[in-house]
Amino acid sequence: MKKGIAPGQALQPRLQAGVKTDSLEIAVHLDGSVGTPGPAQSKAIANLNEEINRCWSGIEPMQHPIDDNLESLKTQCIGQAIEIGVDGRQDGEMGHEPNPALTDTSQHKPDDHAPLRLGLMASGNGSNFEAVARAIEAGSLNAVIKLLVVNNPGCGAQKRAERLGIPCSVVNHRQLTNRESLDRELVRQFQAADVEAIVMAGWMRIVTSVLIAGFPDRLVNIHPSLLPSFRGLDAIGQALAAGVKVSGCTVHLVTEDLDAGPIVAQSAVPVLPGDDNASLAERIHEQEHRLLPMALTELALRWRQG
Ligand code: GAR
């Protein structure tokens, strides 16, 4: 099997041509790109997410240079077309063989590295925070949550932390004079908790260079759209208003440009007729809860391998 994966590389997917599905119909073109079905080149994906997750489940982190992984395994939203980096295998199948280390936690062998010391930030419900905590508990993410910081006292994330027994601190931005002083307090608390990397798991405040410089290249965000589409607030509402047929979620590193840092991982979901903010959010959340722990697993290996 060829180990490197090139975006746009020719592929021979194991998809049935012309199958109508209740989800998406997209074309897999001969050059490997995926877009609007064409008469000769179109094939249907019964479940796009299944395909994407197959790609993800096949990641062999110890065998690929991490930068190649990040470059090739991300899905990219280019207008309404999605390009999925996959491995062109000799047997013509698409993707990799499932990697038990990532897909079957009963077979998971913890890596030799010390657990990644994570800090998390959340503003609301906290379901992504809990997804990270559950992945750690299940042994699929070699990490420890040293501290959760919330900015809204009594929010769902805080309650989840209490239930899960994870240290949680409230930094109420309303009691601070500006964004920089909020970020200074975050850096202070995360450094005191000996955190190596920070995950913004539903953090609804714009961060400044104070936080970014405090944890250079170690600040991770999850955003509910296929970036670079629909940056900023209410990404799901923006996607619905634009009438896109595909949306999703993105894990990326945080830079000073809002929602524009290097993409680590993406997952796509269909936008179905009749979708409203709640129904699309639910579909995206389901993917976020899978994607964020997977992306952190990748990043942990990258950081540990130096
Ligand atoms: C998630 O959908 C996350 O992508 C989004 O907030 C939600 C938090 O949900 N983040 C942003 O919009 C950041 N711009 P949760 O509190 O249930 O994890």
Side-chain angles (χ1 to χ4, degrees):
M1 185 192 301
K2 185 177 179 302
K3 291 296 177 195
I5 305 167
Q9 171 183 341
L11 56 88
Q12 296 173 290
R14 53 154 195 86
L15 304 171
Q16 286 181 282
V19 173
K20 271 281 176 199
T21 74
D22 59 358
S23 53
L24 286 177
E25 182 160 1
I26 61 174
V28 180
H29 298 288
L30 294 180
D31 66 357
S33 65
V34 181
T36 312
Q41 296 174 318
S42 110
K43 307 223 177 203
I45 289 183
N47 184 330
L48 177 60
N49 289 314
E50 192 183 324
E51 290 305 318
I52 291 169
N53 289 330
R54 261 173 54 80
C55 295
W56 270 108
S57 69
I59 298 167
E60 297 171 56
M62 302 308 289
Q63 296 174 36
H64 295 294
I66 189 70
D67 285 338
D68 284 357
N69 272 342
L70 296 183
E71 185 52 35
S72 59
L73 287 169
K74 69 188 182 187
T75 59
Q76 295 175 323
C77 184
I78 304 164
Q80 289 230 13
I82 294 178
E83 180 177 301
I84 308 171
V86 294
D87 195 354
R89 286 168 38 188
Q90 287 172 355
D91 61 4
E93 289 277 301
M94 183 169 81
H96 301 255
E97 294 298 337
N99 178 358
L102 289 176
T103 54
D104 180 355
T105 53
S106 69
Q107 293 184 34
H108 178 77
K109 304 209 176 26
D111 62 50
D112 293 338
H113 302 296
L116 187 69
R117 302 185 305 280
L118 286 176
L120 271 78
M121 295 157 53
S123 298
N125 182 24
S127 67
N128 279 287
F129 154 66
E130 181 156 352
V132 173
R134 295 283 177 209
I136 293 170
E137 192 180 71
S140 56
L141 171 60
N142 183 21
V144 56
I145 300 177
K146 302 286 283 183
L147 179 66
L148 169 74
V149 175
V150 301
N151 63 313
N152 289 316
C155 67
Q158 185 181 2
K159 291 180 182 139
R160 288 176 197 258
E162 282 161 11
R163 177 162 47 78
L164 294 165
I166 292 173
C168 177
S169 139
V170 180
V171 181
N172 187 341
H173 63 277
R174 298 163 196 85
Q175 295 169 349
L176 296 162
T177 47
N178 55 30
R179 294 187 196 282
E180 283 75 14
S181 43
L182 171 63
D183 285 358
R184 258 190 298 278
E185 180 58 16
L186 291 169
V187 171
R188 192 190 68 74
Q189 293 207 11
F190 284 129
Q191 284 178 345
D194 196 26
V195 156
E196 295 172 88
I198 298 175
V199 183
M200 294 161 56
W203 181 254
M204 304 310 283
R205 310 289 306 165
I206 291 175
V207 300
T208 69
S209 56
V210 172
L211 183 62
I212 296 166
F215 289 85
D217 294 323
R218 297 283 180 114
L219 185 57
V220 180
N221 184 41
I222 183 155
H223 184 78
S225 77
L226 290 174
L227 293 172
S229 295
F230 312 130
R231 297 159 61 188
L233 276 179
D234 192 19
I236 294 174
Q238 291 184 54
L240 288 169
V244 295
K245 303 298 180 205
V246 177
S247 190
C249 48
T250 302
V251 175
H252 67 97
L253 297 177
V254 176
T255 59
E256 298 213 16
D257 290 333
L258 182 67
D259 297 329
I263 290 172
V264 177
Q266 292 184 302
S267 184
V269 305
V271 181
L272 300 177
D275 260 344
D276 58 13
N277 208 296
S279 60
L280 182 54
E282 187 180 343
R283 203 172 303 122
I284 289 174
H285 263 108
E286 201 178 310
Q287 287 307 308
E288 288 186 332
H289 299 164
R290 298 169 54 84
L291 190 70
L292 183 54
M294 284 193 234
L296 292 173
T297 300
E298 287 295 303
L299 286 169
L301 286 164
R302 172 188 195 170
W303 292 328
R304 287 291 187 244
Q305 286 167 357

